[in-house]
Amino acid sequence: MGKFNDLELSQWREYTDIETDSLWIIDKRDNSGAHSGHYHGNFVPQIPHQLFSRYTKKGDWILDPFMGSGTSLIEAQRMGRNSIGIEIQHDVAKEAYDRIYTEKNDVVRTKVVVADSQTCDMNKILLSESINKVQFVIMHPPYWDIVKFSENPNDLSNCDSINEFLDSFGKVIDNSLSVLEKNRYCAVVIGDKYADKQVIPLGFYCMNLMMEKDLLLKAILVKNFGETKGKSNKQGIWRYRALASDFYIFKHEYIFIFKKVK
Ligand SMILES: C[S@@+](CC[C@H](N)C(=O)[O-])C[C@H]1O[C@@H](n2cnc3c(N)ncnc32)[C@H](O)[C@@H]1O
């Protein structure tokens, strides 16, 4: 198996902070330095940190086609990995760029692009950094319409139906995978949704979509999430509603890991 990380197996006992189990309980967000956690819909930096430790080497290039507040890019920069983040909203990308820059170092390159990841020319973006492949793709798309990120019709959170959402997400997958090096990895972070009195298993729909792209499914990770901004201070109400009805309160999301073998 080709080497795809920097782990020294002779020291495996020392890697106590690197996850190898499929259940991830992360209680506290890493809010250090440029990680601000202000962006509604961000993920905890520990997710990219863990994934980059297992699936990338120093000097690799990482692509995040749903950059948001730049959590992946900050983590990549800290870990000596180059990265490209694509974000459809100009003001969000600008704010992220400024914050990422506060931790800039000369060891790695970090590029922020404002574009629609469904249709942007990935080869051109990579060529501007004199590369033609990336070694890891991390995707944290909108969980369909749970959080409306913008008014832009090409923003995935504005899709009118689940099929439209999957179709749009499929375009981002195809576009991103076209520049992923063979035998390297891609991760999708996504949760489910509840609508019309039933669960919409967004996570599994997205997992199936990825599998249809001839990728090998390597892991289904379940990660806890604490209070979202929308539900903070409302725990009691939600618990009452659940007890009075027939549903369970979502407390987890998924991280799916795939390997590109073709
Ligand atoms: C779930 S958030 C990602 C958050 C990010 N992981 C963070 O920690 O801040 C999804 C992001 O994708 C962006 N987005 C939605 N549709 C997009 C598209 N077609 N191309 C690029 N970005 C898109 C949204 O504006 C939003 O910032």
Side-chain angles (χ1 to χ4, degrees), residues 194-195 227-251:
Y194 204 86
E227 279 172 21
T228 57
K229 287 205 173 101
K231 286 196 179 152
S232 58
N233 302 325
K234 291 190 189 145
Q235 269 175 326
I237 300 169
W238 279 100
R239 188 163 157 70
Y240 177 84
R241 286 181 185 157
L243 287 170
S245 184
D246 54 2
F247 68 87
Y248 286 84
I249 303 160
F250 289 130
K251 283 287 174 185

Side-chain angles (χ1 to χ4, degrees), residues 14-158:
E14 286 163 36
Y15 295 129
T16 49
D17 55 338
I18 298 183
E19 297 279 358
T20 47
D21 293 341
S22 61
L23 179 62
W24 291 13
I25 308 290
I26 300 172
D27 287 328
K28 208 170 172 306
R29 184 178 209 280
D30 169 9
N31 277 334
S32 63
H35 287 309
S36 71
H38 69 287
Y39 192 52
H40 190 29
N42 68 70
F43 55 24
V44 298
Q46 289 96 326
I47 292 179
H49 184 87
Q50 288 290 333
L51 298 173
F52 299 166
S53 304
R54 291 286 311 270
Y55 299 104
T56 67
K57 297 184 277 195
K58 280 204 167 78
D60 275 352
W61 279 88
I62 293 162
L63 171 66
D64 181 346
F66 299 103
M67 183 192 71
S69 59
T71 313
S72 309
L73 277 70
I74 294 165
E75 213 47 48
Q77 194 168 263
R78 285 184 189 180
M79 296 173 72
R81 278 74 171 156
N82 304 291
S83 58
I84 298 171
I86 304 174
E87 168 57 49
I88 200 162
Q89 298 182 70
H90 185 275
D91 51 340
V92 171
K94 165 85 174 72
E95 192 280 336
Y97 178 84
D98 290 345
R99 217 162 9 77
I100 294 163
Y101 202 81
T102 61
E103 287 190 15
K104 187 87 190 90
N105 62 55
D106 293 334
V107 181
V108 293
R109 302 216 298 273
T110 308
K111 187 180 180 78
V112 170
V113 178
V114 180
D116 174 359
S117 292
Q118 298 174 74
T119 50
C120 62
D121 187 337
M122 290 289 182
N123 284 312
K124 199 169 162 192
I125 292 172
L126 267 59
L127 268 180
S128 70
E129 290 295 321
S130 308
I131 54 167
N132 50 31
K133 289 284 179 225
V134 298
Q135 285 73 42
F136 190 72
V137 175
I138 182 165
M139 294 197 265
H140 185 211
Y143 299 3
W144 183 12
D145 56 356
I146 295 184
V147 175
K148 288 267 182 201
F149 285 99
S150 70
E151 298 297 321
N152 190 319
N154 297 323
D155 172 342
L156 267 62
S157 67
N158 288 321

Side-chain angles (χ1 to χ4, degrees), residues 180-229:
L180 175 63
E181 198 172 293
K182 193 178 160 193
N183 289 324
R184 299 304 294 263
Y185 297 81
C186 166
V188 179
V189 182
I190 182 103
D192 295 319
K193 172 183 155 81
Y194 204 86
D196 300 327
K197 300 189 174 160
Q198 60 180 322
V199 174
I200 316 279
L202 266 188
F204 295 125
Y205 287 149
C206 292
M207 181 190 80
N208 278 339
L209 189 62
M210 297 289 286
M211 290 172 76
E212 285 164 13
K213 310 278 180 196
D214 276 340
L215 296 160
L216 292 190
L217 176 63
K218 299 298 289 187
I220 301 176
L221 308 176
V222 175
K223 180 202 152 281
N224 72 313
F225 58 69
E227 279 172 21
T228 57
K229 287 205 173 101

